[in-house]
Amino acid sequence: MVTLYNLIGGLQMGSIYALIALGYTMVYGIVQLINFAHGDIMMVGAYSIYWIMTTSLMKAIAETQPVLAGVVSVLFAVVVCVALGVFVDRVAYKPLRNAPRISALITAIGISIALEIIAQLVFGSGQVNFPTIVPKVTLFKVGRRSINLLEVLTFAVSVLLMIALTLFVQTTRTGKAMRAVSEDQGAAMLMGVNVDKTISITFGIGCALAAIGSVFYAQKVYYVTPLLGMLPGLKAFVAAVLGGIGSIPGAVLGGFIIGMVETFVKYYASEYVDAMVFGILILVLLFRPTGILGRKMKEKV
């Protein structure tokens, strides 16, 4: 039964990492930017849900219609995170489009720190209890292991969003514009693609995924702090690199692998969990920097 417990727990954590990693891989695939503020966008999403659920109106709705209150709070978090992501892109990243990549990377780290400090000033540095969004309902049992709604929903949402995102990028006009910008921004601009708008949409989609991931992660740990998104954000980055950053299926695959590794290692040697995860990053960068499903990129010199 140890294996079954670890498998289910690994799928749940892997699904959360996959949702966050999708945001990393979307942004990197378009503008080759590693947005290290992405984990903190997730934190903002969790605090947004906490704030709206503590208002008197939402408390009244939650008493009679908890599902409606949960849906409204998640949609509110998505709107907040999308608006924040687009704002950060326009204010911080857009002026650096043609600057060296290190400039954008340093800016991303600065935004991450700024968001954490703002959260501390607004909500304090301590933990706050995260409200119950997904009801604690047992759906079925596998052996002696109960499978609850949160675990099933986390896995299902991550897979469905991967499929939806893949179809969106492959079939829609906006998705084709994203692929064009990813291949060659200059050529895409000459063909009439609004590059800045396309990049902003990409940031918005990535931040929406972070908001959804914040629901499942905060619901699992039952609390929110200003540093909530730091560690899962870094692990999701490892997942994106492992699967092949820039690849949507690769981000999900990498998330599941990292979730499984973390869960199994935590059972046998919990003190080495983080070291093992970041050790995987080092090995991937050494032996397969393009990741499992990533493709080799040729650079002109």
Side-chain angles (χ1 to χ4, degrees), residues 31-64:
V31 293
Q32 281 72 54
L33 167 67
I34 300 173
N35 183 20
F36 279 120
H38 193 65
D40 295 291
I41 298 289
M42 186 193 88
M43 175 268 295
V44 171
Y47 269 120
S48 299
I49 293 173
Y50 164 77
W51 178 82
I52 195 171
M53 288 296 287
T54 55
T55 61
S56 56
L57 176 60
M58 289 302 295
K59 284 181 178 178
I61 296 174
E63 289 179 358
T64 57

Side-chain angles (χ1 to χ4, degrees), residues 130-263:
F130 190 75
T132 299
I133 303 299
V134 181
K136 300 176 182 178
V137 178
T138 299
L139 297 181
F140 54 90
K141 288 188 176 183
V142 179
R144 296 166 58 186
R145 174 66 158 86
S146 297
I147 309 298
N148 59 53
L149 178 61
L150 180 63
E151 293 169 333
V152 174
L153 196 60
T154 304
F155 176 76
V157 167
S158 67
V159 174
L160 289 175
L161 284 177
M162 179 201 71
I163 296 172
L165 199 57
T166 301
L167 292 175
F168 175 80
V169 171
Q170 295 295 329
T171 61
T172 66
R173 185 181 181 89
T174 304
K176 292 176 182 178
M178 288 178 178
R179 286 187 286 140
V181 173
S182 175
E183 291 291 337
D184 192 322
Q185 288 191 19
M189 192 178 298
L190 291 174
M191 295 299 294
V193 175
N194 189 328
V195 173
D196 289 330
K197 180 181 177 181
T198 302
I199 293 174
S200 293
I201 291 173
T202 304
F203 269 91
I205 293 173
C207 292
L209 293 169
I212 297 171
S214 73
V215 179
F216 297 118
Y217 185 77
Q219 179 81 60
K220 180 177 174 59
V221 300
Y222 294 111
Y223 67 85
V224 186
T225 70
L227 300 180
L228 177 77
M230 184 173 66
L231 197 55
L234 290 174
K235 290 180 179 179
F237 169 68
V238 175
V241 173
L242 174 61
I245 195 162
S247 168
I248 293 174
V252 176
L253 176 61
F256 285 142
I257 293 174
I258 294 299
M260 291 292 184
V261 169
E262 181 182 83
T263 304

Side-chain angles (χ1 to χ4, degrees), residues 57-88:
L57 176 60
M58 289 302 295
K59 284 181 178 178
I61 296 174
E63 289 179 358
T64 57
Q65 295 179 308
V67 176
L68 176 62
V71 171
V72 171
S73 64
V74 173
L75 291 176
F76 176 74
V78 169
V79 171
V80 169
C81 288
V82 169
L84 177 61
V86 173
F87 174 77
V88 168

